[in-house]
Amino acid sequence: AQSVAQPEDQVNVAEGNPLTVKCTYSVSGNPYLFWYVQYPNRGLQFLLKYITGDNLVKGSYGFEAEFNKSQTSFHLKKPSALVSDSALYFCAVRAAMDSSYKLIFGSGTRLLVRP
Amino acid sequence: EADIYQTPRYLVIGTGKKITLECSQTMGHDKMYWYQQDPGMELHLIHYSYGVNSTEKGDLSSESTVSRIRTEHFPLTLESARPSHTSQYLCASSALEGSVMNTEAFFGQGTRLTVV
């Protein structure tokens, strides 16, 4: 069965400091991995994805994520946090061979960037 | 502009009423999904569709039903709303994978349903 774990309910960081939001996954075969962001009373916005190729992927708003196959992780990072980055972040996974195409989401991590 | 739309954004309705949450996308996507989001944030897949006349139950059991008569339209219906149905409902779509690079899902703004 596919699953995603986001071990931190909340991450607090000062503006200008680097941030990391953690994600680990379990899937049969190769994974497709995604990060989404959700602002209050809004839907999810796609940030970035790993499908194949370079383990470091870059996405919207200066975010990047590193795929680590041995640790089954896909942590979201940003070198310098902004107050406007404060939001809910969701990691999602799908098995490349899963014909249902369903995305399995983690429980979400609330990022709070203080001025 | 290609997008995915949900209406209404907010709905407060009395117990026992029938409601339909609308979802439409203009991206020509074959796959569409409904997720239910808890107040505590977690997302649960309740329905999905591969294309016209295809509907499947998701991982979380739901009393709602869906239909897919047109590619662009994937409405969700509750025949008799109850307070336990109070939640946020998110619709999403994604392309069938002619290219695996187009595999991400795009989400609507959501409908926040309150049943009183």
Side-chain angles (χ1 to χ4, degrees):
Chain A
Q2 302 170 72
S3 66
V4 177
Q6 293 182 242
E8 303 153 315
D9 289 336
Q10 183 161 314
V11 169
N12 298 306
V13 65
E15 188 173 33
N17 283 359
L19 69 88
T20 299
V21 182
K22 295 180 181 177
C23 171
T24 59
Y25 66 90
S26 174
V27 71
S28 299
N30 292 325
Y32 294 161
L33 293 154
F34 307 84
W35 275 102
Y36 287 84
V37 60
Q38 185 178 33
Y39 296 98
N41 298 315
R42 304 295 292 273
L44 274 65
Q45 295 179 33
F46 169 73
L47 276 180
L48 51 77
K49 65 184 174 186
Y50 172 83
I51 303 297
T52 187
D54 196 345
N55 289 344
L56 183 66
V57 293
K58 294 186 182 296
S60 306
Y61 312 120
F63 284 93
E64 58 188 30
E66 186 164 14
F67 170 60
N68 187 316
K69 188 172 185 178
S70 62
Q71 296 184 5
T72 62
S73 67
F74 190 56
H75 301 330
L76 181 71
K77 300 182 180 185
K78 187 172 182 181
S80 179
L82 299 172
V83 173
S84 57
D85 293 331
S86 298
L88 271 172
Y89 290 81
F90 289 93
C91 182
V93 70
R94 176 167 89 70
M97 300 300 293
D98 183 2
S99 60
S100 73
Y101 305 101
K102 293 186 293 182
L103 275 178
I104 305 300
F105 284 87
S107 56
T109 299
R110 187 176 302 277
L111 174 65
L112 182 60
V113 182
R114 59 185 186 276
Chain B
E1 181 178 319
D3 210 336
I4 180 164
Y5 306 94
Q6 287 186 245
T7 56
R9 288 289 314 280
Y10 303 93
L11 179 61
V12 180
I13 200 163
T15 297
K17 299 292 187 183
K18 178 180 178 179
I19 58 168
T20 295
L21 308 185
E22 300 288 347
C23 177
S24 295
Q25 50 95 5
T26 59
M27 294 175 280
H29 286 165
D30 288 293
K31 301 199 294 293
M32 296 189 74
Y33 316 83
W34 276 102
Y35 286 86
Q36 185 173 339
Q37 186 172 25
D38 299 339
M41 306 186 304
E42 203 157 342
L43 286 144
H44 302 284
L45 180 68
I46 52 175
H47 299 283
Y48 62 102
S49 167
Y50 294 119
V52 172
N53 294 325
S54 153
T55 60
E56 303 285 344
K57 294 283 190 182
D59 301 319
L60 179 69
S61 176
S62 173
E63 293 167 344
S64 59
T65 59
V66 292
S67 62
R68 190 89 183 275
I69 299 172
R70 303 196 316 265
T71 297
E72 62 271 22
H73 194 214
F74 192 43
L76 180 146
T77 298
L78 276 166
E79 290 292 333
S80 180
R82 295 207 301 270
S84 60
H85 296 139
T86 294
S87 189
Q88 170 143 276
Y89 293 84
L90 294 170
C91 181
S93 71
S94 63
L96 267 177
E97 286 154 24
S99 164
V100 297
M101 302 310 294
N102 297 323
T103 190
E104 65 266 29
F106 294 87
F107 282 79
Q109 299 277 43
T111 294
R112 184 167 294 282
L113 173 67
T114 303
V115 184
V116 298

